[in-house]
Amino acid sequence: MTLAVRPMTLAVELVETPSEQPEPRSEQPESRWMPVCDPAALVPGRGVAALLPDGGQVALFVDRAGRPYAIGNRDPFTGAYVLSRGLTGTADGRPFVASPLLKQRFDLETGACLDNPAVSVPVYRVREVEGQG
């Protein structure tokens, strides 16, 4: 007997998660989740950009433990859509991406700029969904 393995895809929630509020605990309607990429496309230390239905972009990352993150891809300091090309790291145990242009660091969990607390980028919830491949 052979068991079929269903392909998995990472999906982002189409509503930005405000960084100052806790993540909602209840499941959201499936229509709010958009498949964006195969989890195998993500490599620790490198990002992937995906286009959203509203024309915006999301930058996806995965850490060495396999946890995915999704933030807005637009660098608020330059207006360029480049955060997916940034360098990743940790500061005080917090995962971040540094913009490849001016090097400001953005927390991958909250979207807060670690170098300028008045600035942040959108954060999106991300999860794996079945059979979108």
Side-chain angles (χ1 to χ4, degrees), residues 4-5 7 11 14-15 18 31 40-41 44 47 54 64 78 80 82 86-87 89-91 100 118 124 127 131:
V5 177
L14 295 179
V15 177
S31 63
D54 66 0
R64 291 181 194 272
T78 65
V82 296
L87 300 173
T90 57
Y124 298 86
R127 70 178 186 182

Side-chain angles (χ1 to χ4, degrees), residues 7 11-13 15 27-28 31 41 53-54 60 72 75 78 87 124-125:
V12 295
E13 188 174 21
V15 177
E27 278 300 309
Q28 300 298 320
S31 63
D54 66 0
L60 293 116
D75 179 341
T78 65
L87 300 173
Y124 298 86
R125 291 196 313 153

Side-chain angles (χ1 to χ4, degrees), residues 41-64:
L42 296 177
V43 176
R46 296 182 184 226
V48 172
L51 187 62
L52 299 175
D54 66 0
Q57 294 181 21
V58 64
L60 293 116
F61 301 91
V62 66
D63 63 19
R64 291 181 194 272

